[in-house]
Amino acid sequence: MVRIYENISLRPYNSFGIEATADRLIEWDSAQSLADFVSSERALFEGQNGRWEVLGAGCNTLFSGDFGGTLLHSVAKGIEVVEQDEQQVLIRAAAGELWDDVVAWSVERGLWGMENLSAIPSSVGASAVQNIGAYGAEAKDCIAWVECLDLQTIEQIRIPAAECAFGYRESIFKGALKGRVIITAVVYRLQTCGTPRLDYGSLRPEVEALGEATPANIRKAVVAIRDSKLPNPEVTGNAGSFFKNPVLPRAQVEQLKEQYPTMPVYEVAGNPDVLKIATGWMIDTLGWKGKGMGRAGVHDKQALVLVNRGGATGPEVVALAEEICRQVKEKFGVSISPEVNII
Ligand code: EPU
């Protein structure tokens, strides 16, 4: 079934809690209903009938104004086992499932693979688009394949993880396949026996305090760490990390490190020529934590997170983000870019 809303308020559809409207919002609840809709609106998907965008759970989106076009929003639900043996279980989750509901489902069954990614506000579709990541894990580590509707042929296709061009908050769905496919489900590969990944930040001691390193205890520890640093979008509008952490040539980072010895620096797996630096640290060092401009602010416990201090508009958040980028460039000589999708 497809539901069509016209001139609709987007406030319930974005975790920033920004007031904006969309000309049209389409909710679809199955791959078939999406395919039927796409067949009935060929002109839209051929680019002849205005703009359209996919809107996931709205947890990584900033509306910079009213959206003059069509938003496609999945409300397709369902988590099912596709295949299993003694070592692994493949599960399919529909695009409109909330990411953390899938993590909870897997952890309740004692399965390994998603536990470090607990409590990330996201949908299943966005988990693949954005290759969401936290605490030493990324969605790509457990994605087996992604199921999509090909908008040209209106057929279901399956893209194996190896062909998804996953990178740090990157995938083929933000690149070559943007506007050409819509994700309908993601199949994840989980393990019945896993190895705990506890090397990020304070995760190990938090887990050890709970006892054995089981998926359930890792999930509990990650949720506690996130709760202590990240604002709850139901209380304070936000979209998690607003900026990406830049990946820069090793020589440039080494120079910065000489100037700023306390700057956190991370190795990038598989590429010894580059290093990743922490944007949150740079914004914090500039003194922005807990400050803001008008109704848009910087979270007081994690400077990478911009918040809606109440009634902020999209342009107010954009203005704050631009000012922060300018100051980071001025002080550190580094260009930062948003992780959040600004539309
Ligand atoms: N830091 C500061 N001040 C701050 C924020 C951070 O000094 O205000 C320092 C921290 O002390 C730490 C370093 O910067 O040494 C990195 O901070 P943190 O571990 O909090 O992680 P992050 O780099 O700020 C990334 C992800 C988060 C993810 C965490 C944990 C990105 C853009 N963000 O943040 O993901 O939860 O690591 O793995 O990569 C998200 O994408 O929305 C998100 C929340």
Side-chain angles (χ1 to χ4, degrees):
M1 198 182 57
V2 159
R3 278 211 179 87
I4 302 180
Y5 300 92
E6 283 177 4
N7 197 22
I8 183 177
S9 165
L10 294 172
R11 185 139 184 201
Y13 290 91
N14 77 99
S15 62
F16 248 118
I18 299 284
E19 192 53 82
T21 59
D23 285 358
R24 204 158 68 129
L25 183 133
I26 312 294
E27 283 184 350
W28 54 275
D29 67 357
S30 67
Q32 189 55 53
S33 65
L34 176 65
D36 293 344
F37 177 76
V38 173
S39 305
S40 70
E41 298 230 3
R42 289 316 292 256
L44 177 64
F45 296 96
E46 282 161 9
Q48 293 154 21
N49 208 4
R51 279 176 85 186
W52 66 271
E53 291 269 353
V54 172
L55 177 67
C59 300
N60 205 45
T61 299
L62 174 64
F63 291 110
S64 59
D66 290 338
F67 185 79
T70 301
L71 290 172
L72 288 144
H73 177 64
S74 174
V75 291
K77 301 282 181 204
I79 306 172
E80 58 182 341
V81 173
V82 178
E83 227 179 273
Q84 71 186 104
D85 62 25
E86 265 173 33
Q87 277 101 42
Q88 55 183 30
V89 181
L90 291 187
I91 66 164
R92 174 188 288 111
E97 280 285 350
L98 286 179
W99 166 258
D100 198 52
D101 289 349
V102 186
V103 180
W105 187 100
S106 73
V107 168
E108 272 160 28
R109 286 157 182 81
L111 295 168
W112 292 82
M114 296 180 160
E115 60 285 352
N116 289 47
L117 302 176
S118 289
I120 296 182
S122 181
S123 63
V124 160
S127 75
V129 176
Q130 188 69 359
N131 183 24
I132 55 174
Y135 305 102
E138 285 182 321
K140 75 170 173 56
D141 306 336
C142 65
I143 291 176
W145 69 79
V146 179
E147 296 179 355
C148 308
L149 182 72
D150 181 320
L151 297 174
Q152 225 164 14
T153 60
I154 318 192
E155 273 171 13
Q156 280 289 321
I157 55 169
R158 179 190 279 203
I159 306 179
E163 289 168 27
C164 290
F166 287 127
Y168 168 56
R169 302 294 193 275
E170 283 298 339
S171 74
I172 197 165
F173 307 105
K174 291 173 104 174
L177 291 185
K178 185 167 168 54
R180 294 181 48 198
V181 302
I182 292 177
I183 297 174
T184 54
V186 180
V187 173
Y188 303 97
R189 177 175 282 112
L190 306 173
Q191 317 298 326
T192 53
C193 287
T195 313
R197 291 166 292 179
L198 304 178
D199 290 335
Y200 190 96
S202 61
L203 187 54
R204 186 179 298 278
E206 291 268 352
V207 172
E208 281 170 357
L210 295 169
E212 212 188 318
T214 57
N217 278 342
I218 296 171
R219 173 170 171 77
K220 231 188 243 175
V222 167
V223 169
I225 299 171
R226 291 186 72 94
D227 281 352
S228 72
K229 281 195 190 173
L230 300 170
N232 177 351
E234 272 160 35
V235 180
T236 307
N238 77 92
S241 301
F242 193 90
F243 302 101
K244 288 197 220 179
N245 289 326
V247 176
L248 302 172
R250 186 173 277 270
Q252 185 183 352
V253 175
E254 276 164 5
Q255 231 172 28
L256 277 168
K257 190 80 185 160
E258 257 172 47
Q259 221 177 332
Y260 303 102
T262 58
M263 173 180 257
V265 168
Y266 304 93
E267 295 287 339
V268 174
N271 192 349
D273 301 337
V274 295
L275 290 167
K276 196 194 271 186
I277 63 172
T279 301
W281 181 90
M282 292 191 283
I283 300 172
D284 191 358
T285 303
L286 284 164
W288 275 104
K289 225 187 220 173
K291 306 244 170 64
M293 276 169 40
R295 292 170 291 184
V298 176
H299 185 47
D300 57 358
K301 298 194 188 86
Q302 166 45 296
L304 198 53
V305 179
L306 301 192
V307 294
N308 179 350
R309 304 208 271 199
T313 62
E316 275 176 292
V317 180
V318 171
L320 172 61
E322 283 173 355
E323 178 57 17
I324 290 173
C325 288
R326 194 189 64 73
Q327 291 189 14
V328 167
K329 180 80 187 169
E330 190 177 78
K331 186 167 175 73
F332 300 98
V334 172
S335 301
I336 54 169
S337 56
E339 197 228 66
V340 167
N341 187 18
I342 303 173
I343 56 178

